[in-house]
Amino acid sequence: MSVKHLSHVEKRGKLYEGKAKVLYTTDEADLVIQHFKDDATAFNGEKKGEIANKGRMNNLISARIFYFLNESGIKTHYVATLNDNEQLVKKLAVIPIEVVVRNVVAGSLAKRLGKEEGMELDDPVIELYFKDDSLGDPMINRFHVNSFKIADPEHIRVMEVEAQRINNMLWSFFDERGILLVDFKLEFGLHKGELLLGDEISPDSCRLWDKETKEKLDKDRFRRDLGNIEESYQEVLDRVLK
Ligand code: UDP
């Protein structure tokens, strides 16, 4: 499909509304529009709020990163940016597993193992979480995936390999922009039988610290009431567009 044609793709029915995004169908059965909202939630939806311009900033940050990953040979759902808050993506049958990659101790890992936030890990840690809000997205491993038939074990194997490749690429991408990639979450899905990276990569789904000052430039500013949330997301946008 030509780029000219893509700019004319229009929203049809609402397919799904999540906490931070809405998906709309289009006239193309295989393509959907991903709309980024300003709504912010944390702690499994217990804390709710709005971050001014978050939808726009996350749409543009995620689009830049997915464009970079596509160019680097990672298969993703990203097709094109349509406007400030929307991007065209390939429709996925989402695999109900979140893959978290960690380079530095923070968040739930710090709590679980009683370690200080900020400790750099010798090797990245990869974790799997079962996507189920009613259970609070519990951490699982490959054995749970197999025994409870949560997903195809081969897909999980590929997701873990891809997560490591993506981590190597994004570590350098952010490093060049003065940002420490502490940790991040990925989601994958199937499109015409092919495993693609989906969802978003933004300060909502990553921990991003200024390399020099270690200042937090991500959703922890909202989770922990640190202030300057919009300014921090804007700082990330400015740096990723460099
Ligand atoms: N994360 C996410 N969605 C989730 C859970 C985690 O995007 O539902 C991201 C989070 O922003 C962080 C990384 O995954 O970059 C690791 O999160 P962690 O397990 O430390 O959990 P949290 O502290 O967010 O509860």
Side-chain angles (χ1 to χ4, degrees):
M1 209 184 322
S2 72
V3 172
K4 189 161 184 289
H5 184 149
L6 288 178
S7 63
H8 288 88
V9 174
E10 280 182 29
K11 276 191 287 205
R12 297 297 174 203
K14 192 188 277 190
L15 185 62
Y16 171 81
E17 176 150 12
K19 285 173 269 193
K21 295 187 291 294
V22 189
L23 289 182
Y24 295 92
T25 57
T26 67
D27 291 334
E28 307 286 336
D30 297 331
L31 299 176
V32 294
I33 290 175
Q34 179 163 254
H35 175 105
F36 288 73
K37 302 193 282 187
D38 289 346
D39 296 350
T41 62
F43 312 121
N44 199 22
E46 268 172 48
K47 183 180 167 93
K48 287 193 177 77
E50 235 186 56
I51 301 169
N53 297 312
K54 177 169 82 78
R56 174 179 173 275
M57 296 187 287
N58 277 358
N59 179 39
L60 301 180
I61 292 167
S62 196
R64 174 70 187 95
I65 292 171
F66 272 75
Y67 180 84
F68 164 73
L69 292 175
N70 278 346
E71 293 282 296
S72 309
I74 300 290
K75 290 184 173 152
T76 86
H77 72 156
Y78 177 77
V79 177
T81 302
L82 298 174
N83 56 54
D84 268 3
N85 284 72
E86 291 171 337
Q87 47 185 254
L88 190 64
V89 296
K90 293 177 181 172
K91 191 174 175 183
L92 297 183
V94 174
I95 294 171
I97 301 228
E98 298 185 344
V99 182
V100 167
V101 183
R102 302 176 180 278
N103 298 306
V104 176
V105 173
S108 71
L109 177 64
K111 258 196 207 139
R112 199 180 329 122
L113 297 187
K115 300 288 182 195
E116 191 89 10
E117 261 205 357
M119 190 185 113
E120 277 207 34
L121 298 163
D122 288 341
D123 290 302
V125 167
I126 297 200
E127 297 168 345
L128 304 178
Y129 292 86
F130 180 40
K131 265 171 77 75
D132 185 324
D133 279 344
S134 67
L135 300 175
D137 295 348
M139 187 161 82
I140 55 170
N141 63 33
R142 290 182 221 177
F143 293 93
H144 301 94
V145 173
N146 299 348
S147 291
F148 295 99
K149 301 194 169 35
I150 295 169
D152 180 336
E154 176 57 15
H155 290 152
I156 302 300
R157 191 192 66 75
V158 176
M159 283 158 61
E160 289 179 348
V161 171
E162 288 300 276
Q164 308 230 36
R165 288 180 68 209
I166 293 166
N167 185 40
N168 291 337
M169 292 169 185
L170 291 186
W171 174 274
S172 308
F173 178 90
F174 281 114
D175 186 68
E176 286 162 15
R177 290 160 174 83
I179 291 174
L180 180 67
L181 178 59
V182 172
D183 58 31
F184 59 98
K185 182 261 303 176
L186 301 174
E187 295 188 31
F188 294 82
L190 293 170
H191 177 83
K192 298 179 180 173
E194 194 175 34
L195 189 69
L196 303 182
L197 177 68
D199 198 52
E200 67 179 290
I201 298 180
S202 73
D204 271 11
S205 66
C206 305
R207 284 196 170 89
L208 303 169
W209 295 356
D210 180 273
K211 218 163 86 176
E212 303 303 325
T213 66
K214 302 288 188 288
E215 190 191 357
K216 298 182 197 316
L217 302 171
D218 55 61
K219 195 161 129 184
D220 272 347
R221 301 206 74 84
F222 170 76
R223 293 188 189 99
R224 302 178 191 185
D225 296 317
L226 299 175
N228 291 335
I229 310 173
E230 189 187 348
E231 292 78 0
S232 301
Y233 279 58
Q234 184 64 49
E235 180 68 27
V236 173
L237 176 60
D238 292 344
R239 293 202 204 176
V240 302
L241 292 182
K242 256 185 213 160

